[in-house]
Amino acid sequence: MPVNRIHPTAVLGPGVELGTANVIGPYTVVAGPTVIGDGNWIGPHVTIGTPAEDRDGPHPAWDDDPTGAGVRIGHRNRIREYVSVHQGTRRPTVLGDDGYYLRGSHVAHDCLIGDGVTLASNVVLGGHVHVWSRANLGMGSIVHQQVRIGPGAMVGMGAAVRREVRAFTIAVGNPARVTGLNVVGLTRLGLDQDTIDQLEPWLKGKTRLPPDGLMYALPAGLSTLVRAWEERKD
Protein backbone atom coordinates (compact mmCIF):
# COMPACT_ATOMS: atom_id res chain seq x y z
CA MET A 1 0.00 0.00 0.00
CA PRO A 2 1.44 3.43 -0.92
CA VAL A 3 2.51 5.33 2.16
CA ASN A 4 1.94 8.95 3.09
CA ARG A 5 5.00 11.17 2.88
CA ILE A 6 4.80 13.83 5.57
CA HIS A 7 7.59 16.36 6.03
CA PRO A 8 8.94 16.33 9.60
CA THR A 9 8.11 20.03 10.07
CA ALA A 10 4.43 19.53 9.23
CA VAL A 11 1.92 19.56 12.11
CA LEU A 12 -1.07 17.21 12.14
CA GLY A 13 -3.38 17.74 15.09
CA PRO A 14 -5.79 15.37 16.85
CA GLY A 15 -8.68 14.17 14.74
CA VAL A 16 -6.87 14.20 11.39
CA GLU A 17 -7.48 11.13 9.22
CA LEU A 18 -5.36 10.44 6.15
CA GLY A 19 -5.86 8.02 3.30
CA THR A 20 -2.84 6.76 1.37
CA ALA A 21 -0.19 8.16 -0.99
CA ASN A 22 -0.54 11.74 0.22
CA VAL A 23 2.36 14.19 0.18
CA ILE A 24 2.34 16.88 2.87
CA GLY A 25 4.97 19.60 2.59
CA PRO A 26 7.12 21.55 5.07
CA TYR A 27 5.45 23.71 7.72
CA THR A 28 1.95 22.72 6.72
CA VAL A 29 -0.62 22.62 9.53
CA VAL A 30 -3.68 20.34 9.47
CA ALA A 31 -6.12 20.60 12.38
CA GLY A 32 -8.94 18.17 13.12
CA PRO A 33 -11.55 17.12 12.57
CA THR A 34 -10.25 16.69 9.02
CA VAL A 35 -10.54 13.73 6.67
CA ILE A 36 -8.19 13.62 3.66
CA GLY A 37 -8.49 10.99 0.94
CA ASP A 38 -5.81 9.44 -1.26
CA GLY A 39 -3.12 10.76 -3.57
CA ASN A 40 -3.28 14.44 -2.61
CA TRP A 41 -0.26 16.72 -3.00
CA ILE A 42 -0.28 19.36 -0.28
CA GLY A 43 2.48 21.92 -0.51
CA PRO A 44 4.45 23.93 2.06
CA HIS A 45 2.86 26.41 4.44
CA VAL A 46 -0.68 25.19 3.79
CA THR A 47 -3.26 25.48 6.59
CA ILE A 48 -6.25 23.12 6.67
CA GLY A 49 -8.94 22.87 9.33
CA THR A 50 -8.14 26.04 11.23
CA PRO A 51 -11.15 27.70 12.89
CA ALA A 52 -13.78 29.51 10.87
CA GLU A 53 -13.42 33.29 10.79
CA ASP A 54 -16.31 33.78 13.19
CA ARG A 55 -15.97 36.25 16.07
CA ASP A 56 -18.18 34.11 18.29
CA GLY A 57 -16.73 30.76 17.26
CA PRO A 58 -14.22 28.67 19.23
CA HIS A 59 -10.49 29.09 18.66
CA PRO A 60 -9.00 26.07 20.46
CA ALA A 61 -5.33 25.38 21.04
CA TRP A 62 -3.59 22.94 18.69
CA ASP A 63 -3.53 20.08 21.20
CA ASP A 64 -7.19 20.46 22.30
CA ASP A 65 -9.83 17.95 21.29
CA PRO A 66 -11.22 18.72 17.81
CA THR A 67 -14.24 21.00 17.62
CA GLY A 68 -16.42 22.31 14.80
CA ALA A 69 -17.72 20.63 11.67
CA GLY A 70 -14.26 20.12 10.20
CA VAL A 71 -12.99 19.61 6.67
CA ARG A 72 -13.34 16.79 4.15
CA ILE A 73 -10.97 16.56 1.19
CA GLY A 74 -11.29 13.97 -1.58
CA HIS A 75 -8.65 12.40 -3.80
CA ARG A 76 -5.88 13.54 -6.14
CA ASN A 77 -6.03 17.23 -5.36
CA ARG A 78 -3.05 19.55 -5.75
CA ILE A 79 -3.05 22.12 -2.98
CA ARG A 80 -0.24 24.58 -3.48
CA GLU A 81 1.75 26.69 -1.04
CA TYR A 82 -0.03 29.10 1.32
CA VAL A 83 -3.52 27.76 0.53
CA SER A 84 -5.90 28.03 3.50
CA VAL A 85 -9.02 25.93 4.10
CA HIS A 86 -11.14 26.75 7.16
CA GLN A 87 -13.28 24.22 8.96
CA GLY A 88 -17.04 24.35 8.73
CA THR A 89 -19.50 25.58 11.31
CA ARG A 90 -22.84 24.08 10.23
CA ARG A 91 -21.39 21.44 7.88
CA PRO A 92 -17.90 20.32 6.91
CA THR A 93 -16.00 22.42 4.42
CA VAL A 94 -15.68 20.08 1.43
CA LEU A 95 -13.13 19.85 -1.38
CA GLY A 96 -13.96 17.22 -4.00
CA ASP A 97 -11.60 15.22 -6.20
CA ASP A 98 -9.00 16.27 -8.79
CA GLY A 99 -8.97 19.94 -7.85
CA TYR A 100 -6.09 22.35 -8.39
CA TYR A 101 -5.75 25.04 -5.71
CA LEU A 102 -3.03 27.50 -6.68
CA ARG A 103 -0.78 29.55 -4.43
CA GLY A 104 -2.55 31.56 -1.77
CA SER A 105 -6.12 30.63 -2.62
CA HIS A 106 -8.57 30.60 0.29
CA VAL A 107 -11.59 28.42 0.98
CA ALA A 108 -13.68 29.78 3.84
CA HIS A 109 -15.91 27.92 6.29
CA ASP A 110 -18.80 25.76 5.05
CA CYS A 111 -17.80 25.99 1.38
CA LEU A 112 -18.63 23.12 -0.96
CA ILE A 113 -16.19 22.58 -3.85
CA GLY A 114 -16.96 20.03 -6.55
CA ASP A 115 -14.65 17.85 -8.63
CA GLY A 116 -12.07 19.12 -11.11
CA VAL A 117 -12.28 22.71 -9.87
CA THR A 118 -9.42 25.18 -10.37
CA LEU A 119 -8.86 28.09 -7.99
CA ALA A 120 -6.05 30.24 -9.37
CA SER A 121 -3.62 32.20 -7.21
CA ASN A 122 -5.16 34.47 -4.57
CA VAL A 123 -8.78 33.49 -5.21
CA VAL A 124 -10.85 34.19 -2.09
CA LEU A 125 -14.13 32.39 -1.38
CA GLY A 126 -16.43 33.74 1.33
CA GLY A 127 -18.28 31.43 3.70
CA HIS A 128 -20.92 29.01 2.40
CA VAL A 129 -19.89 29.42 -1.25
CA HIS A 130 -20.73 26.46 -3.50
CA VAL A 131 -18.41 25.97 -6.47
CA TRP A 132 -19.73 23.25 -8.74
CA SER A 133 -17.58 20.73 -10.59
CA ARG A 134 -15.24 21.81 -13.40
CA ALA A 135 -15.50 25.51 -12.62
CA ASN A 136 -12.38 27.64 -13.11
CA LEU A 137 -11.80 30.83 -11.09
CA GLY A 138 -9.11 33.20 -12.35
CA MET A 139 -6.34 34.91 -10.41
CA GLY A 140 -7.43 37.24 -7.67
CA SER A 141 -11.16 36.72 -8.12
CA ILE A 142 -13.36 37.18 -5.05
CA VAL A 143 -16.65 35.41 -4.36
CA HIS A 144 -19.17 36.83 -1.87
CA GLN A 145 -20.65 34.66 0.87
CA GLN A 146 -23.48 32.29 -0.04
CA VAL A 147 -22.88 32.58 -3.82
CA ARG A 148 -23.02 29.65 -6.26
CA ILE A 149 -20.65 29.16 -9.16
CA GLY A 150 -22.20 26.80 -11.70
CA PRO A 151 -20.57 23.72 -13.22
CA GLY A 152 -18.03 24.49 -15.90
CA ALA A 153 -18.26 28.23 -15.31
CA MET A 154 -15.22 30.44 -15.79
CA VAL A 155 -14.63 33.53 -13.66
CA GLY A 156 -12.15 36.06 -15.01
CA MET A 157 -9.17 37.23 -13.01
CA GLY A 158 -9.87 40.04 -10.60
CA ALA A 159 -13.63 39.58 -10.81
CA ALA A 160 -15.83 40.36 -7.81
CA VAL A 161 -18.69 37.85 -7.82
CA ARG A 162 -21.78 38.97 -5.89
CA ARG A 163 -24.46 36.76 -7.43
CA GLU A 164 -24.86 33.30 -8.95
CA VAL A 165 -22.85 32.46 -12.07
CA ARG A 166 -24.76 30.10 -14.34
CA ALA A 167 -23.39 26.80 -15.62
CA PHE A 168 -20.76 26.97 -18.39
CA THR A 169 -20.83 30.74 -18.63
CA ILE A 170 -18.01 33.30 -18.41
CA ALA A 171 -18.20 36.09 -15.83
CA VAL A 172 -15.80 39.04 -15.65
CA GLY A 173 -15.53 42.45 -14.02
CA ASN A 174 -16.44 44.20 -10.78
CA PRO A 175 -19.22 43.49 -10.16
CA ALA A 176 -18.92 40.33 -12.25
CA ARG A 177 -21.25 40.06 -15.24
CA VAL A 178 -21.80 37.16 -17.61
CA THR A 179 -20.31 37.91 -21.03
CA GLY A 180 -20.92 34.64 -22.86
CA LEU A 181 -20.67 30.87 -22.82
CA ASN A 182 -17.60 28.86 -21.89
CA VAL A 183 -17.42 27.28 -25.34
CA VAL A 184 -13.80 26.22 -24.86
CA GLY A 185 -14.69 24.33 -21.70
CA LEU A 186 -17.66 22.63 -23.36
CA THR A 187 -15.53 21.64 -26.34
CA ARG A 188 -12.88 20.15 -24.07
CA LEU A 189 -15.60 18.00 -22.53
CA GLY A 190 -16.29 16.54 -25.96
CA LEU A 191 -19.31 18.56 -27.10
CA ASP A 192 -19.60 19.46 -30.75
CA GLN A 193 -21.11 22.73 -31.97
CA ASP A 194 -24.53 21.19 -32.63
CA THR A 195 -24.79 19.97 -29.02
CA ILE A 196 -23.58 23.34 -27.70
CA ASP A 197 -26.29 25.02 -29.79
CA GLN A 198 -28.91 22.74 -28.22
CA LEU A 199 -27.69 23.62 -24.72
CA GLU A 200 -27.34 27.35 -25.35
CA PRO A 201 -30.94 28.43 -24.55
CA TRP A 202 -30.79 26.53 -21.25
CA LEU A 203 -27.34 27.88 -20.39
CA LYS A 204 -28.64 31.41 -20.96
CA GLY A 205 -31.65 30.79 -18.73
CA LYS A 206 -34.20 31.08 -21.53
CA THR A 207 -35.60 27.54 -21.35
CA ARG A 208 -35.79 24.58 -19.01
CA LEU A 209 -33.50 21.61 -19.46
CA PRO A 210 -35.24 18.75 -21.32
CA PRO A 211 -36.42 16.03 -18.90
CA ASP A 212 -33.93 13.54 -20.35
CA GLY A 213 -31.05 15.90 -19.56
CA LEU A 214 -29.84 15.50 -23.17
CA MET A 215 -28.40 12.13 -22.20
CA TYR A 216 -28.33 11.11 -25.85
CA ALA A 217 -26.05 14.05 -26.68
CA LEU A 218 -23.85 14.67 -23.64
CA PRO A 219 -20.76 12.68 -22.60
CA ALA A 220 -21.05 10.25 -19.69
CA GLY A 221 -21.49 12.02 -16.36
CA LEU A 222 -22.11 15.46 -17.84
CA SER A 223 -25.84 14.89 -18.22
CA THR A 224 -26.05 13.98 -14.53
CA LEU A 225 -24.17 17.15 -13.63
CA VAL A 226 -26.37 19.50 -15.66
CA ARG A 227 -29.53 17.87 -14.33
CA ALA A 228 -28.27 18.31 -10.76
CA TRP A 229 -27.68 22.00 -11.48
CA GLU A 230 -31.17 22.33 -12.98
CA GLU A 231 -32.71 20.78 -9.86
CA ARG A 232 -30.56 22.66 -7.31
CA LYS A 233 -32.27 23.87 -4.16
CA ASP A 234 -29.42 24.85 -1.82
Side-chain angles (χ1 to χ4, degrees), residues 64-127:
D64 288 344
D65 291 335
T67 60
V71 175
R72 293 186 176 272
I73 296 175
H75 310 300
R76 301 175 301 278
N77 294 286
R78 295 180 182 180
I79 302 175
R80 298 299 305 264
E81 53 272 24
Y82 301 104
V83 168
S84 54
V85 182
H86 288 175
Q87 67 166 277
T89 58
R90 303 176 190 171
R91 62 188 181 194
T93 302
V94 175
L95 278 60
D97 301 335
D98 301 302
Y100 200 3
Y101 300 83
L102 278 68
R103 180 208 175 278
S105 54
H106 172 64
V107 179
H109 62 89
D110 299 83
C111 286
L112 300 178
I113 314 296
D115 299 335
V117 167
T118 298
L119 300 188
S121 298
N122 301 319
V123 168
V124 177
L125 304 182

Side-chain angles (χ1 to χ4, degrees), residues 6-229:
I6 303 171
H7 194 274
T9 61
V11 176
L12 274 65
V16 175
E17 301 178 27
L18 293 178
T20 61
N22 294 293
V23 174
I24 299 180
Y27 303 104
T28 281
V29 175
V30 185
T34 292
V35 178
I36 298 175
D38 304 329
N40 297 285
W41 189 94
I42 301 174
H45 298 280
V46 172
T47 56
I48 297 172
T50 47
E53 291 180 331
D54 179 352
R55 284 183 176 272
D56 298 324
H59 283 67
W62 301 113
D63 55 353
D64 288 344
D65 291 335
T67 60
V71 175
R72 293 186 176 272
I73 296 175
H75 310 300
R76 301 175 301 278
N77 294 286
R78 295 180 182 180
I79 302 175
R80 298 299 305 264
E81 53 272 24
Y82 301 104
V83 168
S84 54
V85 182
H86 288 175
Q87 67 166 277
T89 58
R90 303 176 190 171
R91 62 188 181 194
T93 302
V94 175
L95 278 60
D97 301 335
D98 301 302
Y100 200 3
Y101 300 83
L102 278 68
R103 180 208 175 278
S105 54
H106 172 64
V107 179
H109 62 89
D110 299 83
C111 286
L112 300 178
I113 314 296
D115 299 335
V117 167
T118 298
L119 300 188
S121 298
N122 301 319
V123 168
V124 177
L125 304 182
H128 300 271
V129 165
H130 189 173
V131 180
W132 285 58
S133 295
R134 303 182 184 275
N136 189 322
L137 280 67
M139 290 186 296
S141 55
I142 301 171
V143 183
H144 195 276
Q145 296 94 329
Q146 307 282 351
V147 165
R148 287 184 292 218
I149 307 295
M154 178 167 286
V155 176
M157 61 183 180
V161 183
R162 303 179 187 179
R163 61 181 65 182
E164 178 179 283
V165 177
R166 292 186 60 82
F168 294 101
T169 58
I170 298 172
V172 299
N174 181 3
R177 292 179 173 83
V178 172
T179 60
L181 301 183
N182 186 8
V183 175
V184 172
L186 290 165
T187 301
R188 287 176 177 171
L189 290 172
L191 277 67
D192 58 22
Q193 188 59 51
D194 181 62
T195 305
I196 294 172
D197 290 343
Q198 292 182 66
L199 274 178
E200 183 172 356
W202 173 71
L203 293 172
K204 291 183 174 180
K206 296 179 179 179
T207 63
R208 301 280 296 178
L209 186 72
D212 62 7
L214 295 177
M215 288 189 66
Y216 66 91
L218 300 182
L222 185 55
S223 175
T224 302
L225 181 60
V226 299
R227 281 190 293 179
W229 174 254

